Amino acid sequence: MKKFRKILLSVCLCFTMFALVSCGETGLGSMPKTDDMVTGNGNLAVTKGEYVYFVDSYVTSTDLGKNDNNQGEVKTSALYRTKLKEDKLDVDEKGNLKTYELVVSKVVGTQNTGLFIFDDYIYYGTPNMQNDREGKLRTDLIDFCRAKLDGTNIEVLYTTEQYSAGATYSFYKIGGSVYLVVFDGKDIKQIEITSYAKNAVTLASNVASVMMPKITDYAYTKNYQTTGTQGYVYYTRNVTENDFINTSNKGNVLGKVNITKKDEKEERVDGVTTYELKSVESNYVYAYKTVNSNKCLYAINNVANTSTDIQITATDDYTNEFVLPNVNGENLGVIVTYGGKTIWVKDGLNTSTNSVVISDAEYTINYCDGRYAYYLNGTKMYRIDLTNTNLDENVELVFDETNIDTTYLDFDEEGYIYYFNTYTGDSGKSQKYLKRVDLSSKIQPEENEEETDLGYKTELVGVLKNKHTKVEI
């Protein structure tokens, strides 16, 4: 979940920013328990207790027309939920959900989708759909909203004034409040949400790029605490005269700011080093440092003190670096492509003394769960077992989907991979619907079938409409 000049919004839009837009009083009649565990926050689907809340399909927000996102009239790309049966989707013989409920009848499944559940509310974004003062329909802007988990009490919490290149957002529960953090392509804004949404606070201005820690799981507590990098947003920005650095020199500024306290901020700048954010893991932010054209990856745990930086790679000959997750605070290194191979460089300093070739071909890693490294090869996904050094045995097929949209892949730590797949009906009309891979259900070959590596079970999550189905003959 993007770069243009600031547009002044209409007075009408400002008044709707915090409006209550409830879609009904009765709701769905049931909710998960407040203290049920939440998994998958920030993804296309999020699970709380026995319920999975999900966007059923995808639409690019800029393709929407004026009346395509009217409350109560939207069923495609809307917010749904289904109740699990013995922790699995309850589907019929065709693989379609037996039961599902429309939670919010607004467009939620877009390029800016990210669902979050805290306590009794689900938080999401939907295209703004208002005209600015010049009469332009602003489907590129976002209304950030929340609704109770039974579909009632829908509120617009904040509306962006811009949402340009590199823009992103996340929701956090810190202390007794929920915080929306938005990087709109220029500034980092924070909105504290208690019983209502407070005014936006600017955490950092004229920002070029941002990394926000991802916290996918949530356990109910009245005073939720963050650890390590979780309470901060990391960013880069250009050097200004206020940095007391000659702005004609090279380099930029690396900074971090506390989500709840805008004045708790650290930055580093020397007029020489250029920083490029890579990822955030556990206690470290990972960033490239380029000095005199030499670009290497570092793990940084103290933005204010460069002496504690840990060098991960010692050469810019590495490409497609993927930072492995920290385990018990231990840095496990990176997976890189180098010399035509895919290599796990455990300390990053040498490609021969402390590294393992995990593939004789070059692949870009999409995700690692600590044991398996996942990558795409065309529309097929594979995973490499990092505990197996035998290159003839360490790779297995995860799935093979002809019509997959590889732009959006969500890896749920509970063992699911969510993605959009295109369905085309007899009428020729198509729609991208949400599917997932169940990594606990490996497909078994039929009797006398020679192929044994068939991947894992895929299942339709989205609510397939009749116009996007084919009649079986």
Side-chain angles (χ1 to χ4, degrees):
M1 264 253 223
K2 298 182 180 179
K3 182 179 181 182
F4 56 89
R5 64 186 179 90
K6 183 176 180 180
I7 302 291
L8 292 175
L9 298 181
S10 67
V11 174
C12 175
L13 176 57
C14 294
F15 279 116
T16 64
M17 189 173 297
F18 302 109
L20 182 69
V21 288
S22 177
C23 66
E25 298 301 325
T26 58
L28 301 176
S30 63
M31 299 206 313
K33 297 177 182 178
T34 299
D35 58 357
D36 279 343
M37 185 68 187
V38 176
T39 60
N41 265 345
N43 291 340
L44 301 168
V46 57
T47 301
K48 180 165 186 174
E50 297 179 301
Y51 289 91
V52 179
Y53 290 77
F54 61 92
V55 296
D56 81 312
S57 57
Y58 170 88
V59 62
T60 302
S61 63
T62 52
D63 290 339
L64 296 173
K66 179 63 178 177
N67 296 314
D68 290 340
N69 195 19
N70 293 333
Q71 177 72 45
E73 299 178 7
V74 178
K75 291 185 178 180
T76 300
S77 302
L79 178 59
Y80 285 81
R81 76 176 187 181
T82 187
K83 192 172 185 179
L84 298 172
K85 184 177 182 180
E86 297 180 352
D87 295 326
K88 298 292 183 181
L89 294 179
D90 189 14
V91 299
D92 60 24
E93 66 280 358
K94 294 183 179 181
N96 297 318
L97 293 175
K98 287 184 179 179
T99 60
Y100 54 85
E101 295 172 296
L102 180 61
V103 181
V104 176
S105 180
K106 292 279 284 185
V107 173
V108 180
T110 72
Q111 71 274 20
N112 300 314
T113 292
L115 304 178
F116 297 80
I117 291 178
F118 298 107
D119 308 327
D120 293 329
Y121 284 87
I122 185 165
Y123 298 79
Y124 58 94
T126 184
N128 174 249
M129 309 304 294
Q130 297 291 330
N131 292 328
D132 61 24
R133 289 183 176 178
E134 297 175 358
K136 180 182 178 182
L137 181 63
R138 301 312 304 269
T139 61
D140 54 323
L141 304 183
I142 302 178
D143 288 338
F144 290 103
C145 308
R146 72 174 176 181
K148 291 196 74 172
L149 294 174
D150 63 358
T152 61
N153 294 85
I154 299 174
E155 299 171 85
V156 178
L157 303 168
Y158 175 73
T159 299
T160 58
E161 295 181 2
Q162 67 168 27
Y163 205 74
S164 55
T168 186
Y169 69 91
S170 188
F171 286 88
Y172 300 94
K173 176 75 178 292
I174 303 175
S177 300
V178 172
Y179 291 86
L180 165 62
V181 181
V182 181
F183 171 53
D184 60 16
K186 179 183 177 183
D187 301 325
I188 304 173
K189 302 288 185 66
Q190 170 254 80
I191 298 88
E192 183 181 1
I193 305 159
T194 53
S195 59
Y196 64 97
K198 299 182 180 180
N199 291 333
V201 174
T202 300
L203 299 180
S205 301
N206 299 315
V207 172
S209 65
V210 160
M211 277 285 174
M212 299 183 188
K214 188 174 183 181
I215 308 174
T216 58
D217 296 348
Y218 171 72
Y220 169 72
T221 174
K222 291 183 179 180
N223 188 25
Y224 193 78
Q225 301 301 310
T226 56
T227 61
T229 59
Q230 292 179 350
Y232 297 88
V233 179
Y234 294 82
Y235 61 91
T236 64
R237 63 171 178 81
N238 293 331
V239 174
T240 69
E241 294 179 354
N242 294 332
D243 296 308
F244 303 103
I245 296 292
N246 187 337
T247 55
S248 65
N249 292 344
K250 296 181 180 179
N252 63 359
V253 178
L254 172 67
K256 79 170 185 178
V257 60
N258 190 304
I259 291 172
T260 66
K261 304 172 184 176
K262 68 174 184 177
D263 295 329
E264 188 177 314
K265 183 183 298 184
E266 295 178 359
E267 294 186 335
R268 63 166 66 172
V269 56
D270 58 14
V272 176
T273 307
T274 298
Y275 295 92
E276 180 184 342
L277 293 168
K278 178 65 176 177
S279 68
V280 178
E281 287 285 348
S282 187
N283 294 320
Y284 298 93
V285 56
Y286 292 82
Y288 297 103
K289 293 166 64 171
T290 301
V291 181
N292 297 326
S293 300
N294 183 31
K295 179 179 177 181
C296 299
L297 185 65
Y298 285 78
I300 299 170
N301 66 355
N302 188 338
V303 170
N305 185 358
T306 61
S307 66
T308 62
D309 294 355
I310 301 171
Q311 187 170 353
I312 303 299
T313 62
T315 172
D316 56 8
D317 292 333
Y318 297 150
T319 57
N320 300 318
E321 296 97 327
F322 181 87
V323 177
L324 292 172
N326 285 189
V327 177
N328 297 323
E330 180 183 358
N331 182 341
L332 297 183
V334 296
I335 294 175
V336 302
T337 54
Y338 176 78
K341 303 178 186 297
T342 303
I343 303 172
W344 176 14
V345 186
K346 296 184 178 181
D347 64 3
L349 300 179
N350 195 297
T351 57
S352 59
T353 60
N354 195 16
S355 62
V356 177
V357 175
I358 59 175
S359 176
D360 282 328
E362 292 191 353
Y363 294 113
T364 300
I365 303 302
N366 297 99
Y367 176 73
C368 181
D369 59 15
R371 175 174 177 178
Y372 296 100
Y374 296 75
Y375 67 89
L376 283 167
N377 186 6
T379 59
K380 295 181 179 181
M381 175 168 282
Y382 296 88
R383 68 180 186 180
I384 301 172
D385 186 348
L386 299 180
T387 67
N388 190 342
T389 58
N390 188 331
L391 299 188
D392 294 326
E393 300 177 354
N394 70 344
V395 176
E396 69 172 338
L397 178 70
V398 176
F399 65 78
D400 181 7
E401 285 277 26
T402 304
N403 297 315
I404 185 175
D405 183 345
T406 59
T407 307
Y408 305 97
L409 292 170
D410 276 342
F411 295 83
D412 190 313
E413 294 180 359
E414 294 300 301
Y416 298 99
I417 304 172
Y418 289 89
Y419 59 95
F420 290 111
N421 208 61
T422 300
Y423 286 76
T424 303
D426 291 323
S427 64
K429 294 182 178 180
S430 298
Q431 183 71 32
K432 296 178 181 179
Y433 284 93
L434 188 66
K435 293 190 71 174
R436 75 179 189 181
V437 181
D438 183 352
L439 294 174
S440 68
S441 298
K442 190 168 180 62
I443 300 174
Q444 300 301 317
E446 300 289 342
E447 187 176 355
N448 300 322
E449 187 174 8
E450 294 184 4
E451 180 64 48
T452 58
D453 190 13
L454 301 174
Y456 290 80
K457 178 183 176 182
T458 62
E459 46 195 8
L460 177 65
V461 183
V463 181
L464 190 62
K465 311 302 185 293
N466 289 334
K467 63 183 176 181
H468 302 131
T469 61
K470 290 184 178 293
V471 177
E472 295 182 5
I473 301 176

